[in-house]
Amino acid sequence: MLEIKNLHARVGDKPILKGINLSVGEGEIHAIMGPNGSGKSTLSSVLAGHTDYEVTDGEVIYQGENLLEMEPEERARAGIFLSFQYPVEVPGVKNIYLLKSALNAKRAHQGLDEINPVEFLKLVREKLALMKMDEAFLHRNINEGFSGGEKKRNEILQMQLLEPTLGLLDETDSGLDVDALRIVGEGINHLRAENRSFVMVTHYQRLLDHVKPDYVHVLAGGQIRASGDFTLAQRLEKEGYEGLLAEA
Amino acid sequence: MSSTDTKVDDLVDRDYAAGFVTDIESDTFPPGLDESVVRAISAKKGEPEWMTQWRLAAFERWKTMTPPDWAHLNIPPIDYQTISYYSAPKNPDDAPKSLDEVDPKLLETYDKLGIPLLEQQMLAGVAVDAVFDSVSVVTTFKDKLKDAGVIFCPLSEAVHSHPELVKNYLGSVVPVEDNYFACLNSAVFSDGSFVYVPKGVRCPMELSTYFRINEQNTGQFERTLIICEDQAHVSYLEGCTAPMRDENQLHAAVVELVALEDAEIKYSTVQNWYPGDEQGKGGIYNFVTKRAECRGARSKVSWTQLETGSAVTWKYPSCVLIGDDSVGEFYSVAVSSKKQQADTGTKMVHVGKNTRSTIISKGISAQQGQNAYRGLVRMGPNAENGRNFTQCDSLLIGDQCGAHTFPYIEAKNPSARVEHEATTSKVSDDQLFYLRQRGISEEDALNMIVNGFCKDVFQKLPMEFAVEAEALLGITLEGAVG
Amino acid sequence: MSALESLISHSGSSAEQQSARAVLARMGLPNRRLEDWKYLSLKHLENEALTAPVADFDGHASEYDIPGFNAARLVWVNGIFCAPLSDQVTGLTWSNQAQDLDWVSPELDGLAAANRAGAELMEIQVSPELVMPVHCLFLSIGEQQAAQPRLQWRVSANAQLEVLEQHAGPGANLVNMVSQFDLAADAKVTRYKLLNTTQATHTAHTHARVAKNADFQNHVIDLGGRFHRDQIKVELSEARATTRLNGLYMVDGRYQSDSHTRIEHLVPQCTSAQHYRGIANGRGKAVFNGIVYIGKNASQSATEQKNANLLLSNKAEINPKPELQIHNDDVVASHGSTVGNLDDDQLFYLRQRGIGEDEGRALLTFAFAEQIAQALPCAPLAEYLEQRIAKNLPMDVL
């Protein structure tokens, strides 16, 4: 589904990704772990097409197409969803408007008609219940005045609705208390499917206890330094990054 | 607030330590200004003809101009014919023979500021020729500068020694006709500093720290010109934390800075002129035009100032950001108490692409002081991706003072971004009480609050100056509480 | 003949009008040499002769109704009050015999003088019996007429007035208006001013004086026109008076919008707030000048001023100037002003959700203006405004 080959990227003059290779198959969950400043958030931003980052080398093939040539919204419509580490506040735009526009943009891309309002509302209510969110939430401005936990739940709610093919979860566990973490974890698990993959970027193991990854990669200095299964995450928890990287 | 008020009044009732009067020197022109006076000034200085003509052209222009009039500056009209436009350097015979003859309160202030004995003597006007040591100190530094290729001399000297540089740059940043006071200065300027840092040279020392004493008597119409060639750096310090002894009531200085490619100029000012008595009488009127042109790409100019003196201050150090990626900064603390009026601020004129400017202005008003920030940020049509951030805070101590903010923003480029923020607050009894409850004296508590308020700006001063600035602020507000 | 000469010749005959006429002749119309007129001017009127207004309208005033806003309608055509088109409503009485408060003094500027010299004063009394909103419709019909309405609202103690002042119509006239609001203790006024004329030159002076516990709210919506200038001064003259001034100005094409506010805190314990937003596109020009004055006696004052501007085009121009003049230390005061383009992070967030770049821009622009619409305490008007803002944008975002 996703092939990353020798990916180099920089922000301004500063190189951050220095040759990433990663292959994600259908239905797989990959966890990217790494110390602060290792480039893990950059990776998800580059995959989503953030304009602050410049790709200097390498390629990314997504479902047989050159991902790097696509505009951010084209990537989104092709099924790539980024759950932001710091979801942006957009005062003046209501959540429900975003949900509806985003869903319809995707449907148009798939050659479907706009969703009818009644069906839309039914669908949204269903997802809200799943994320244990109140309906009043739909009429608030996007992320404005939300707590950290509410913002992250909002991200997963949007993901539920848009049903992406590839979910990029950037530090989704940060800023969540135990209950919120469980709800978010359930939200992600609920989406697990044979044709849907996830790349979860995280510093700690705590989200991985709720969402078991198939593969774990350790990113440091802009490169993947170690790969393995879930036991690698457990080793990291015990030995810390320094210990594990010294060994690698 | 009543407790604070009383204390502030106590402070004000202390007479200005340096406010002694000296007899007017004999070698002084009679009051009045006409063409012959301008010619006479030029002749006194033995200037070449081109300089004389330049002055005369400025004088012709000045005659056609009218003084500015602002709603928030309350200035009695100045009669320009009652002012004398030239006074020769002081006769050493009239000066105090030693520090024993100097007002002990003044010496106390110097001590609090930690000013070395040698400098104390000079500041207090003790005859300089008695102090041989200083000459050698000065000479040592002059040699060092010469080795580096830096020209640092009085402007009057540069007119003779480097006429081409002066001709090229004088009036090129602040045109003669720029404003009323700049024009007057152009006609009658007394003297000032000339600095030229050649290409690639980083000036080996802070200029003027060791020379400020020599910069005395540059008179009321000071004129400074600093030129930094490509990749050159200089840090220039003007003024003095110690109270300035000066009998000229009207001061109209002009400062011009030119920064070429990758050049950097840091200009720091600490001004502590006589503010006048309780009625605001006798204080100095300070009308200064300071402007920098960042002509080269990636050039940078920083203005940092602490203003505590003068009866009326009118001063807007500005940056014209012409070169792409050039940077302008303005950090200012202005204190006005008694009946002082400070009208200061800056202009950041963004011309080139990716130009950035930062303005941090802290105004402190006590007693009947009036403090105004007047600023202009202009994003010209070609200032692609220009950025400005302005933070403009006022602190009020007592209920008779005033704080005013007049920020002009002119935006003509959609990719540029301008942000202006301002707050006004007072030193609250709650804050004072909180600190006192922790065992801090009321005076220290006030100092702590005020210094905290000014911290962002003091951090930008050269280290040595910063320490003096903090001490000066403490002294200025001394007695404001307990 | 210039506009100035025409305005002088249209002066009325009373002693006050004749003296205002002399002031007008002395000062002339404002020009850019005046600090308050630094950026935009009335130069286009220099060679425009203006005729006396004629109330000639054969349409239906109801065309200009705001859906869902049920109000008593008062109609002016080219500044002339049209009783036959207007509703009678309990709690509202008007007369043209009243003494002029003269708060907007002829000495203020040439426009104030012109209005005083040429206008007929109409005083509207508001009593606590008034329960219905009022819709004042000012139609501009025809061209080169000098419409100069002069209104004086007397809002008695405990009365509540909710008034929509709508300027509409295709006319290319000068509409030079003066409004004076006198709020007695505990009165409340909520005024919406909707500038919906594209061809008219609109200039207005509003002066409100707010007594004890009274509240004056003003929401100005300038949807863009040839020249719109709105100048308002609010005096908080007794304890616990409050005011809020909100505004939205949107200019495109060669439209010009000039907003000036001045709030004076004259006594202790008053609060004020301002929130103005502007969008400039095309070759549009906008000015915001907001002054808050806190007098010596005005302890325990609180004031807040927000101003945000979107500059969307290379040829457009915005000049904000938020001013604070503070003479008392027992004050909580802040202001902020920004100018910039749309936020890149917000745009990326929307694009990541699959929304196209153009639509994202339109949406964010809408959202920017929407914050003023949302703050309107009148749902039908807010909805109407949202539709109007959306209409001005290149995309359907509602």
Side-chain angles (χ1 to χ4, degrees):
Chain A
M1 169 179 293
L2 182 74
E3 282 294 331
I4 304 176
K5 287 178 195 157
N6 191 32
L7 183 65
H8 286 70
R10 66 179 181 196
V11 71
D13 294 338
K14 196 179 164 204
I16 298 182
L17 300 184
K18 300 166 183 170
I20 301 272
N21 292 292
L22 182 68
S23 174
V24 179
E26 283 196 3
E28 292 174 0
I29 298 191
H30 290 246
I32 310 268
M33 301 185 70
N36 289 329
S38 59
K40 24 183 223 306
S41 286
T42 302
L43 178 61
S44 46
S45 296
V46 167
L47 293 178
H50 198 291
T51 37
D52 282 356
Y53 300 91
E54 190 192 341
V55 173
T56 50
D57 200 4
E59 61 173 357
V60 181
I61 306 297
Y62 170 71
Q63 292 184 324
E65 293 197 43
N66 183 350
L67 186 72
L68 300 178
E69 278 183 0
M70 294 160 76
E71 292 293 320
E73 57 269 32
E74 291 171 348
R75 301 182 198 205
R77 291 168 193 168
I80 291 183
F81 182 94
L82 171 63
S83 168
F84 285 67
Q85 182 182 4
Y86 302 109
V88 180
E89 297 190 7
V90 190
V93 182
K94 293 196 173 74
N95 256 318
I96 189 162
Y97 178 83
L98 174 66
L99 292 171
K100 202 168 159 185
S101 305
L103 186 62
N104 281 329
K106 187 172 178 188
R107 287 175 67 97
H109 179 74
Q110 293 167 334
L112 299 171
D113 285 343
E114 287 200 358
I115 189 165
N116 95 37
V118 181
E119 202 182 315
F120 173 71
L121 211 59
K122 207 175 129 220
L123 189 66
V124 171
R125 283 189 177 140
E126 190 186 302
K127 306 297 183 193
L128 280 170
L130 194 72
M131 295 307 294
K132 300 195 168 47
M133 290 164 87
D134 192 87
E135 201 173 317
F137 174 82
L138 293 174
H139 300 282
R140 289 170 64 185
N141 290 333
I142 302 171
N143 294 328
E144 190 184 34
F146 286 23
S147 70
E150 282 177 325
K151 284 182 181 171
K152 292 299 170 75
R153 260 196 263 182
N154 191 21
E155 295 291 286
I156 304 303
L157 174 78
Q158 293 175 25
M159 187 165 77
Q160 291 280 354
L161 197 73
L162 296 174
E163 299 182 319
T165 315
L166 174 64
L168 306 170
L169 309 177
D170 188 1
E171 305 270 9
T172 296
D173 51 341
S174 68
L176 294 184
D177 64 27
V178 180
D179 289 336
L181 186 66
R182 188 175 44 78
I183 295 167
V184 164
E186 280 168 13
I188 299 168
N189 283 328
H190 187 261
L191 276 173
R192 293 185 78 153
E194 281 181 9
N195 56 357
R196 182 173 296 128
S197 311
F198 291 96
V199 174
M200 298 192 294
V201 165
T202 182
H203 188 86
Y204 301 106
Q205 196 201 321
R206 48 191 299 233
L207 180 64
L208 308 187
D209 291 338
H210 293 270
V211 185
K212 271 246 158 58
D214 302 308
Y215 301 95
V216 174
H217 310 275
V218 178
L219 187 65
Q223 289 181 327
I224 290 178
R225 302 281 296 275
S227 296
D229 60 9
F230 185 61
T231 55
L232 183 61
Q234 289 168 326
R235 267 182 62 203
L236 257 182
E237 197 77 353
K238 267 200 223 113
E239 300 172 24
Y241 285 109
E242 273 185 39
L244 194 127
L245 288 171
E247 214 174 298
Chain B
M1 270 322 286
S2 60
S3 67
T4 316
D5 282 351
T6 325
K7 269 82 180 222
V8 175
D9 288 340
D10 287 349
L11 161 76
V12 178
D13 289 342
R14 295 171 58 226
D15 286 337
Y16 180 71
F20 50 77
V21 182
T22 47
D23 292 326
I24 293 169
E25 305 288 339
S26 54
D27 191 8
T28 294
F29 284 10
L33 184 57
D34 58 19
E35 196 185 310
S36 68
V37 171
V38 176
R39 281 188 186 281
I41 291 171
S42 191
K44 272 265 181 200
K45 296 176 165 296
E47 286 176 351
E49 182 60 17
W50 60 267
M51 196 70 250
T52 314
Q53 289 306 320
W54 197 84
R55 286 178 182 272
L56 286 171
F59 177 68
E60 283 307 311
R61 186 63 192 252
W62 180 74
K63 286 196 294 189
T64 68
M65 297 171 90
T66 46
D69 175 31
W70 288 288
H72 284 268
L73 269 191
N74 181 16
I75 312 172
I78 298 166
D79 184 347
Y80 293 88
Q81 295 304 331
T82 60
I83 294 168
S84 166
Y85 289 85
Y86 180 83
S87 53
K90 308 253 165 341
N91 184 341
D93 296 344
D94 294 346
K97 298 287 177 287
S98 76
L99 283 178
D100 297 341
E101 292 176 35
V102 173
D103 183 344
K105 278 195 173 169
L106 180 65
L107 296 180
E108 201 181 303
T109 308
Y110 288 165
D111 280 340
K112 282 181 187 161
L113 289 168
I115 292 170
L117 194 69
L118 171 67
E119 283 191 31
Q120 289 193 18
Q121 290 173 328
M122 294 180 168
L123 290 165
V126 173
V128 177
D129 60 353
V131 198
F132 297 107
D133 282 355
S134 75
V135 175
S136 59
V137 169
V138 169
T139 314
T140 310
F141 284 108
K142 282 218 156 167
D143 287 347
K144 207 168 159 188
L145 287 175
K146 207 175 160 192
D147 290 346
V150 176
I151 303 167
F152 178 42
C153 64
L155 185 59
S156 56
E157 194 181 310
V159 167
H160 295 287
S161 58
H162 302 88
E164 289 314 311
L165 284 174
V166 177
K167 267 191 216 170
N168 257 341
Y169 288 103
L170 192 70
S172 75
V173 179
V174 178
V176 164
E177 69 280 6
D178 189 80
N179 66 68
Y180 190 78
F181 299 111
C183 197
L184 176 63
N185 176 289
S186 301
V188 302
F189 72 86
S190 31
D191 209 343
S193 301
F194 175 80
V195 179
Y196 174 82
V197 189
K199 190 172 172 175
V201 172
R202 183 177 283 267
C203 186
M205 71 194 71
E206 312 260 3
L207 287 187
S208 158
T209 313
Y210 292 93
F211 299 95
R212 61 182 171 200
I213 310 136
N214 294 11
E215 297 297 312
Q216 296 286 303
N217 298 323
T218 43
Q220 61 206 104
F221 301 105
E222 193 169 341
R223 183 135 196 150
T224 296
L225 175 60
I226 300 179
I227 302 144
C228 255
E229 291 270 14
D230 296 355
Q231 294 110 37
H233 287 234
V234 70
S235 171
Y236 183 88
L237 297 93
E238 173 202 41
C240 191
T241 48
M244 294 277 274
R245 167 191 169 198
D246 201 314
E247 60 280 347
N248 297 310
Q249 208 189 4
L250 174 68
H251 279 245
V254 171
V255 176
E256 297 178 280
L257 312 183
V258 179
L260 302 181
E261 253 184 51
D262 293 297
E264 191 174 331
I265 303 177
K266 191 175 166 66
Y267 194 105
S268 311
T269 307
V270 173
Q271 204 71 270
N272 185 19
W273 269 331
Y274 182 51
D277 65 12
E278 287 80 353
Q279 273 70 49
K281 278 186 187 143
I284 283 170
Y285 292 2
N286 189 24
F287 303 116
V288 183
T289 306
K290 290 181 162 178
R291 192 172 307 151
E293 278 190 9
C294 287
R295 291 186 187 169
R298 295 169 305 280
S299 53
K300 179 178 174 183
V301 169
S302 294
W303 298 100
T304 306
Q305 61 175 25
L306 169 62
E307 296 284 338
T308 65
S310 303
V312 177
T313 300
W314 179 93
K315 187 186 217 180
Y316 316 93
S318 306
C319 295
V320 184
L321 305 171
I322 299 165
D324 291 350
D325 299 289
S326 59
V327 176
E329 295 176 336
F330 175 76
Y331 301 100
S332 168
V333 170
V335 187
S336 49
S337 58
K338 289 191 196 170
K339 286 187 186 273
Q340 276 177 281
Q341 303 172 57
D343 197 293
T344 76
T346 184
K347 289 181 194 173
M348 291 291 174
V349 179
H350 293 247
V351 180
K353 295 183 178 58
N354 302 315
T355 45
R356 283 171 293 142
S357 63
T358 304
I359 299 170
I360 309 284
S361 166
K362 307 277 180 178
I364 301 166
S365 316
Q367 298 160 316
Q368 285 157 288
Q370 298 292 324
N371 218 322
Y373 168 83
R374 197 180 297 276
L376 167 70
V377 175
R378 177 184 292 148
M379 291 289 173
N382 300 319
E384 295 290 326
N385 295 313
R387 291 285 179 271
N388 163 267
F389 175 75
T390 301
Q391 173 80 46
C392 190
D393 297 326
S394 305
L395 188 69
L396 296 149
I397 307 173
D399 59 5
Q400 298 292 304
C401 52
H404 317 290
T405 316
F406 307 94
Y408 291 76
I409 301 170
E410 299 178 2
K412 293 188 181 181
N413 188 300
S415 63
R417 192 175 288 272
V418 180
E419 286 175 59
H420 171 96
E421 284 173 20
T423 62
T424 302
S425 53
K426 65 168 177 171
V427 174
S428 74
D429 290 342
D430 288 346
Q431 285 172 320
L432 285 174
F433 179 74
Y434 181 85
L435 292 171
R436 292 173 72 191
Q437 209 292 315
R438 295 294 180 263
I440 295 158
S441 78
E442 206 171 356
E443 187 171 82
D444 286 350
L446 181 70
N447 257 335
M448 211 179 263
I449 293 165
V450 171
N451 267 308
F453 177 75
C454 301
K455 206 175 78 192
D456 298 352
V457 173
F458 285 166
Q459 280 172 348
K460 301 293 173 184
L461 284 169
M463 174 78 144
E464 190 189 339
F465 241 30
V467 175
E468 289 184 21
E470 267 186 45
L472 172 60
L473 200 62
I475 291 167
T476 309
L477 296 169
E478 191 171 85
V481 289
Chain C
M1 197 190 228
S2 69
L4 174 63
E5 288 162 329
S6 339
L7 287 169
I8 292 171
S9 71
H10 295 156
S11 300
S13 53
S14 77
E16 290 82 7
Q17 287 174 319
Q18 283 299 309
S19 106
R21 176 181 188 266
V23 175
L24 173 61
R26 169 164 54 82
M27 292 201 291
L29 289 178
N31 59 45
R32 292 177 79 153
R33 281 193 297 278
L34 298 174
E35 177 64 27
D36 251 9
W37 289 78
K38 189 174 157 79
Y39 297 106
L40 298 176
S41 76
L42 291 169
K43 210 167 176 348
H44 62 282
L45 292 182
E46 250 170 34
N47 297 310
E48 198 158 297
L50 301 169
T51 59
V54 185
D56 191 5
F57 172 65
D58 54 8
H60 297 281
S62 60
E63 279 172 42
Y64 298 94
D65 283 354
I66 305 294
F69 184 71
N70 297 317
R73 194 194 302 125
L74 307 183
V75 181
W76 285 255
V77 175
N78 294 341
I80 298 164
F81 182 62
C82 299
L85 298 173
S86 302
D87 300 331
Q88 293 284 350
V89 60
T90 311
L92 215 60
T93 48
W94 54 79
S95 95
N96 40 25
Q97 302 300 316
Q99 183 73 31
D100 202 311
L101 288 169
D102 266 327
W103 290 345
V104 178
S105 135
E107 294 289 343
L108 201 59
D109 63 29
L111 291 163
N115 181 286
R116 187 70 175 93
E120 292 288 340
L121 175 72
M122 174 159 160
E123 177 171 282
I124 307 178
Q125 298 261 7
V126 182
S127 79
E129 279 89 67
L130 179 71
V131 288
M132 204 177 186
V134 181
H135 179 180
C136 295
L137 177 62
F138 291 85
L139 289 171
S140 172
I141 311 286
E143 55 184 29
Q144 300 199 351
Q145 299 185 28
Q148 299 204 83
R150 187 176 183 92
L151 258 59
Q152 179 163 302
W153 297 86
R154 295 273 204 175
V155 186
S156 56
N158 294 304
Q160 301 211 354
L161 169 67
E162 182 181 10
V163 58
L164 165 65
E165 178 184 321
Q166 185 185 10
H167 295 266
N173 300 316
L174 168 68
V175 182
N176 177 37
M177 179 160 180
V178 166
S179 311
Q180 300 174 117
F181 286 86
D182 182 10
L183 279 71
D186 299 292
K188 180 174 171 65
V189 170
T190 309
R191 177 202 193 207
Y192 316 107
K193 175 170 174 177
L194 185 60
L195 277 164
N196 213 349
T197 50
T198 54
Q199 300 308 309
T201 295
H202 177 96
T203 56
H205 276 295
T206 301
H207 188 132
R209 191 171 287 180
V210 190
K212 197 165 81 181
N213 290 326
D215 179 41
F216 180 75
Q217 289 206 20
N218 196 61
H219 302 256
V220 189
I221 310 295
D222 180 354
L223 294 168
R226 185 184 183 196
F227 185 96
H228 289 163
R229 181 175 165 111
D230 187 64
Q231 185 160 356
I232 183 164
K233 174 174 170 180
V234 180
E235 276 179 64
L236 301 173
S237 59
E238 288 179 18
R240 294 181 301 283
T242 57
T243 188
R244 163 167 286 282
L245 306 181
N246 278 12
L248 174 67
Y249 42 92
M250 307 203 316
V251 289
D252 203 336
R254 289 182 180 273
Y255 289 168
Q256 303 192 341
S257 173
D258 202 351
S259 306
H260 295 253
T261 68
R262 180 180 175 90
I263 297 175
E264 296 191 347
H265 286 246
L266 303 173
V267 294
Q269 298 178 320
C270 294
T271 57
S272 65
Q274 292 182 77
H275 190 181
Y276 269 71
R277 288 186 162 239
I279 302 173
N281 211 335
R283 290 171 177 268
K285 289 185 180 180
V287 172
F288 170 72
N289 184 189
I291 301 174
V292 179
Y293 170 89
I294 310 261
K296 269 197 165 48
N297 301 318
S299 54
Q300 300 172 58
S301 294
T303 181
E304 175 197 41
Q305 184 188 63
K306 286 193 279 186
N307 173 236
N309 298 280
L310 263 187
L311 186 59
L312 298 176
S313 127
N314 279 319
K315 303 282 182 202
E317 194 178 315
I318 296 187
N319 299 296
K321 183 177 164 214
E323 288 183 37
L324 290 174
Q325 299 174 18
I326 297 178
H327 296 273
N328 186 295
D329 70 332
D330 191 3
V331 163
V332 180
S334 67
H335 72 193
S337 182
T338 60
V339 185
N341 210 316
L342 298 169
D343 184 289
D344 290 339
D345 288 336
Q346 292 178 349
L347 190 59
F348 178 71
Y349 188 82
L350 296 175
R351 292 176 76 188
Q352 210 301 307
R353 295 298 180 256
I355 293 169
E357 189 173 353
D358 288 345
E359 192 189 352
R361 284 183 189 282
L363 180 59
L364 290 175
T365 308
F366 171 79
F368 179 89
E370 161 74 1
Q371 299 201 31
I372 296 296
Q374 276 179 356
L376 283 171
C378 170
L381 205 57
E383 200 170 306
Y384 170 82
L385 179 58
E386 282 169 355
Q387 280 168 7
R388 282 303 306 270
I389 306 169
K391 204 173 98 186
N392 282 4
L393 296 171
M395 290 275 167
D396 180 18
V397 293
L398 273 180

